[in-house]
Structures are given as structure tokens and as C-alpha cells.
Amino acid sequence: MDQKRNIEMKVVIVGAGKLGMKVADALLGGDHAVTIIDTDDQLLQKISSHLDVMTINANAKETKTLKRINISSYDYLIAVTGNDETNIVIASFAKKLGCNKVIARVRDPEHMQQINFIKDTMGIDHIVNPDQGITVEIYKYLAEKYSLSNGIFSSGKVSLVEFDVEKYKQLIGLTMQETTKILPEMLVVAVSRNGKVIIPRGGFVIQEDDVLYVIGKKGPIQKLNAKVHERGKYTDLQKVMIMGGGKTGFYLAEMLEEFGAAVKIIEADKERCHYLSTHLEDTMVLHGDATDLTLLEEENIDMMDAVVTATGFDEDNLLLALTAKQRGIEDVIAKVSRESYVEIISAMGVDMALNPLDITTTNIMRFVQGSKKVLSSQLIQGQAELMEIIATANMDILETPLKELDLPDGVIFAAIHRGNDVIIPNGDTEILEDDRVIMLSLLSDIYETEQLLKDSTRRGIFK
């Protein structure tokens, strides 16, 4: 297909699985030219009918494949096949053949123990590990209770605070417009309700049990923080049950052991149980079916402070999370990879649902963007990204009142640094060139976010 398009950079993705597709979709949002290499021709044909990408049916481990596409002309190669060693080799070959930057997905704990050596020896610029990425977010939630250190995040003269609305009951029942009277110079940019992060609009009503994320100038936010937080408070996290002893369960158990919690893992595969018991020092590893209620009762599920469902099956994770929540467990976290299950989880009242695909895609996109646009970013409950960007000259969002921009539901502009001034925006606010803009985006809307941030003047030919 010969078609004029704005091209920012050339990227080749090796591996047309779920992660490869998610990354390709996000890259297309930023108008990058994307090539996908895979050995499955039928899968590639299906992809080319849905995405504006070039597809190549070949084995990228063969250097002739990389030479044929002139890999030295590419800005990035992203290797995300299902095999760690394959990803490492392909990324290394591409780097040696002149690709500017290479990224590899690596999941094996043994590799992660020597990851810096692998990167240095093989010439790999960035490594992503979906299991470790999701584990860090679960750990932050459980061990610190707040997604943000001490409940507060600062950038320049702007801060964001997170708190349970129960700590500020006057806000319950108010719409977003009404909150501005109680929270002057501040803005509620996100609400976590039943484990789902929501970007609230004007008529959104705050309910009991909501967790609020409020942004504003440092002074007002620090005063609000003093009212709603005990400084540096950690949860009384003593007993955690992890259902599923895969890589996520393993990484999380390691981190919770170090924190000092008593951890139990329930795993159905006997061989995997042996691996876990020989690689974890203080975790109790139980061989059994986590859907067996008798087993759960025997292992005192009702006495747990937290339950994490991290089996390899979304449906089991949903069922197990619902079971734990019905038994009154305070913190229940579910790992889910299908977007369609987010609404179900929210209705179930699970405390947090995490999608490793979203987290890993965001990790890759921030590395690809580098410091060109995104100055910094931080995840909120593993579902939304708070990031600070530089408004460059040719972005479509410039010099237009925010109320006239066609913003996706999952994106909000939260604050603007303009010179020495801080602006908490309203519908009439316009973003100007060189503004440092703090925005919040749901990870599931990463394509739309990249569309907003793209440079509208670059030109190129996509074939």
C-alpha cells in the first residue's frame, strides 16, 4: 500500500502475539511506521487486514531477514516472541547490524537475576518483563497501601494526593463541579471505585468508598494531605495468599518475603511447586486447586489480609477474586489480560485489577518516546498513567480551548507549568508551545493518548 502519512520513526516488532499487537496499535497512534515479523503467515494476514502495518513472514533469528528489511534504517526493534532466548538473540543481532535501539521481552527469573550482564553483553538497550511489571504495582498497593509514596506525588510546583473519601466526608455526594468550592485551586483527576480507575467528568458524583486523586499547587495539596493522611503509614500486612505460582506469583512472593509478610502460594502443578519451594525461602507452597473451597478453608483464607489471584487463566482469577471478596478479605487483587473483563471486575468489587499487557505496552512506549515528549511518568494503581509532557510546536492540541478538543474519556489534562506559573485548567484553558503539561491517561487508552501527543507536521512515505 502506497500512502502518504506523517511518520515519526520506523519500528519493527518481532512477534505478533497479544503484546506485539498492543504495542503496534499504540505506535500507530503516534504515527510511527510499523513492520511486524512473524513465522505464522495466517496470523500476519489477519493483522494486515486490521492494522496499517507492513508484515513479513520470516524468521527474524536469521540475519538475512534483518538485512533484507535493512534493519540499520530502523529506529527501534522490539522482540516480543514467546521465547526469552529468541528475543535476546534477535535484539542482539539487530543491534549488531545497526538498528538504533533494541528492546526485548524477558520473563525467566534466572535471566532477571543477571539482567544487567545480559544487556551489556548482548547490546540490548531495554528489557521489559510483564510479570515483574505487574508485581511491582501489586507490591506498591499491598505494602504501601498507596500507589504513590506517602500518598503524594510532586512535579515542579504541582502535587497530586491520593486518599479515601471517607477521610474527607464533605466530598461524598458531590459532582465534579461542586468539588471546586471545597477544593479551590485543585482538581479531582481520577477516582478508583471497586478496583477500577475512572477519569471523572463534570456530572460525575463521588460515592462512599471511592479513592480520590486530587491535583493542585503544592501548598493547597500539602494542607489537604495533612488532613487526610497519616504520614508514611503502611498497612498492617501480615498474611497474603497468592493463587497461582507462575512468574507473577513467584516475583510477588519474593518481594513480600523481604517485606516480612507470611505468604502462601497455591499452585496446581506439582513440578512447579517443587521449583517454588526450592527458590523461595519463607513462602509456604501448597500443591492443590485454588478453586477448591475446602482447601481454601483448611488454609484459613478468612484470616488473610490480602489475596492475589494470578493464575494463567482470567476466568479462574475472576472466580477466585469474587470468592475472596465474598469472604470479607480486605484487599483482593486480580490479574486479568482481557479488556472485556474490566467491567465485570468493577461490578464484583475487587480492590484492584491489573492488566500486564497494558503495563508492559506503556513501559515500551515510554522508552520509545524517551525524553522527546514525556518528561516523567508514574502509574496509578497499574491502570492509569500520570505523565508530564512538553507541548511541542506542531501538536494538534495547541491553542485550542480544552472543551473544544475531542478528548477520549480516559484522558484528562490536569495541570500546566507555564514559565514560573502553574495553571489548574478548566474548559477555556489553552495549551501553548513549551508548556509542561501534566496529564492523566488510562493505560487502556494508550492509542488515543499517542494520537494526542503526535507531531502533526512530519511527513513520510509508508509502504
Side-chain angles (χ1 to χ4, degrees):
M1 149 173 41
D2 284 346
Q3 181 183 341
K4 287 212 176 235
R5 270 187 50 194
N6 304 335
I7 298 301
E8 293 216 346
M9 56 181 110
K10 290 175 68 179
V11 183
V12 57
I13 298 171
V14 182
K18 290 179 183 177
L19 179 58
M21 290 305 88
K22 187 88 177 174
V23 172
D25 195 41
L27 286 165
L28 291 171
D31 274 344
H32 304 302
V34 179
T35 300
I36 297 176
I37 302 176
D38 199 282
T39 54
D40 187 332
D41 190 43
Q42 284 189 320
L43 182 57
L44 290 175
Q45 287 181 32
K46 185 177 176 183
I47 288 164
S48 11
S49 66
H50 289 89
L51 294 177
D52 190 6
V53 298
M54 176 167 32
T55 59
I56 297 174
N57 179 23
N59 184 352
K61 279 175 72 175
E62 298 178 359
T63 54
K64 66 180 181 183
T65 300
L66 299 175
K67 289 175 181 175
R68 180 157 61 94
I69 67 168
N70 190 17
I71 190 64
S72 62
S73 70
Y74 280 79
D75 298 287
Y76 287 88
L77 175 136
I78 304 169
V80 288
T81 75
N83 183 281
D84 285 359
E85 289 75 16
T86 298
N87 293 335
I88 291 169
V89 167
I90 291 171
S92 181
F93 284 178
K95 189 71 173 181
K96 292 286 191 297
L97 290 171
C99 185
N100 185 35
K101 299 281 186 184
V102 298
I103 302 170
R105 174 172 67 177
V106 178
R107 302 177 64 184
D108 194 305
E110 276 71 26
H111 290 323
M112 296 309 294
Q113 288 171 4
Q114 51 194 1
I115 204 65
N116 289 329
F117 180 79
I118 291 172
K119 285 175 68 176
D120 293 342
T121 306
M122 307 300 281
I124 298 171
D125 298 288
H126 188 57
I127 283 177
V128 291
N129 183 332
D131 305 287
Q132 202 168 57
I134 196 172
T135 299
V136 168
E137 296 306 315
I138 295 171
Y139 178 81
K140 283 197 295 187
Y141 180 84
L142 289 179
E144 298 179 11
K145 194 64 175 182
Y146 308 128
S147 309
L148 311 166
S149 176
N150 292 328
I152 196 165
F153 165 84
S154 292
S155 175
K157 297 182 178 181
V158 173
S159 294
L160 179 138
V161 66
E162 171 199 10
F163 60 93
D164 294 334
V165 74
E166 291 293 322
K167 300 285 181 67
Y168 209 132
K169 291 182 183 290
Q170 301 99 301
L171 295 170
I172 297 173
L174 299 186
T175 64
M176 289 301 99
Q177 292 107 325
E178 292 167 338
T179 61
T180 55
K181 297 173 185 174
I182 295 180
L183 302 172
E185 298 184 88
M186 291 177 269
L187 180 68
V188 179
V189 291
V191 175
S192 176
R193 177 176 295 169
N194 294 332
K196 179 185 177 184
V197 176
I198 302 163
I199 307 295
R201 300 303 177 190
F204 182 90
V205 178
I206 295 171
Q207 298 179 6
E208 287 184 35
D209 300 325
D210 282 349
V211 177
L212 307 186
Y213 295 83
V214 179
I215 204 165
K217 295 179 181 179
K218 267 189 179 176
I221 289 292
Q222 285 171 347
K223 288 179 183 175
L224 176 61
N225 189 53
K227 289 181 183 177
V228 297
H229 277 148
E230 295 175 38
R231 188 172 179 80
K233 181 188 173 189
Y234 282 75
T235 51
D236 183 23
L237 184 71
Q238 295 179 359
K239 299 176 183 177
V240 181
M241 181 177 284
I242 302 171
M243 299 178 179
K247 294 182 179 69
T248 300
F250 173 78
Y251 287 130
L252 182 59
E254 267 193 329
M255 294 181 79
L256 290 173
E257 277 185 351
E258 192 173 331
F259 178 77
V263 184
K264 288 183 180 181
I265 293 180
I266 300 178
E267 167 58 41
D269 184 274
K270 195 169 186 179
E271 191 175 327
R272 182 64 181 171
C273 285
H274 176 71
Y275 175 90
L276 293 168
S277 60
T278 54
H279 287 78
L280 292 168
E281 293 181 11
D282 299 318
T283 296
M284 182 182 294
V285 180
L286 303 164
H287 176 229
D289 180 359
T291 61
D292 181 349
L293 284 177
T294 304
L295 173 63
L296 297 182
E297 287 169 356
E298 287 175 353
E299 295 304 327
N300 300 315
I301 185 173
D302 296 340
M303 304 295 290
M304 295 294 139
D305 299 310
V307 168
V308 179
T309 65
T311 75
F313 303 97
D314 283 356
E315 291 79 3
D316 286 355
N317 291 340
L318 287 171
L319 175 63
L320 294 167
L322 178 59
T323 301
K325 208 62 202 171
Q326 287 177 337
R327 300 186 80 93
I329 307 300
E330 182 179 349
D331 289 313
V332 179
I333 298 174
K335 173 184 173 183
V336 286
S337 297
R338 290 179 62 176
E339 302 282 358
S340 56
Y341 286 158
V342 172
E343 295 298 331
I344 300 172
I345 288 170
S346 179
M348 286 164 45
V350 172
D351 297 283
M352 188 161 72
L354 294 171
N355 186 329
L357 288 176
D358 286 342
I359 290 172
T360 310
T361 301
T362 300
N363 183 322
I364 291 171
M365 290 304 299
R366 291 306 147 248
F367 183 79
V368 169
Q369 292 287 16
S371 59
K372 293 185 307 174
K373 293 176 183 172
V374 181
L375 298 176
S376 64
S377 72
Q378 172 140 1
L379 293 189
I380 290 180
Q381 286 201 226
Q383 295 176 47
E385 182 182 23
L386 183 74
M387 55 185 165
E388 185 170 22
I389 65 162
I390 290 284
T392 55
N394 302 308
M395 284 183 176
D396 290 336
I397 59 176
L398 297 188
E399 299 180 11
T400 304
L402 296 183
K403 64 186 176 187
E404 294 178 17
L405 292 175
D406 186 19
L407 292 180
D409 290 341
V411 175
I412 188 171
F413 290 107
I416 298 169
H417 281 108
R418 182 172 296 159
N420 292 321
D421 297 328
V422 172
I423 300 165
I424 303 302
N426 56 40
D428 296 317
T429 304
E430 295 182 9
I431 295 170
L432 306 181
E433 183 182 352
D434 294 328
D435 282 350
R436 283 168 51 209
V437 182
I438 296 176
M439 60 187 292
L440 191 72
S441 167
L442 296 181
L443 300 193
S444 53
D445 281 343
I446 190 167
Y447 174 89
E448 289 80 3
T449 303
E450 296 304 317
Q451 282 275 317
L452 285 173
L453 301 184
K454 71 183 181 183
D455 185 327
S456 61
T457 62
R458 300 200 184 194
R459 289 288 179 266
I461 299 295
F462 182 77
K463 296 181 179 180

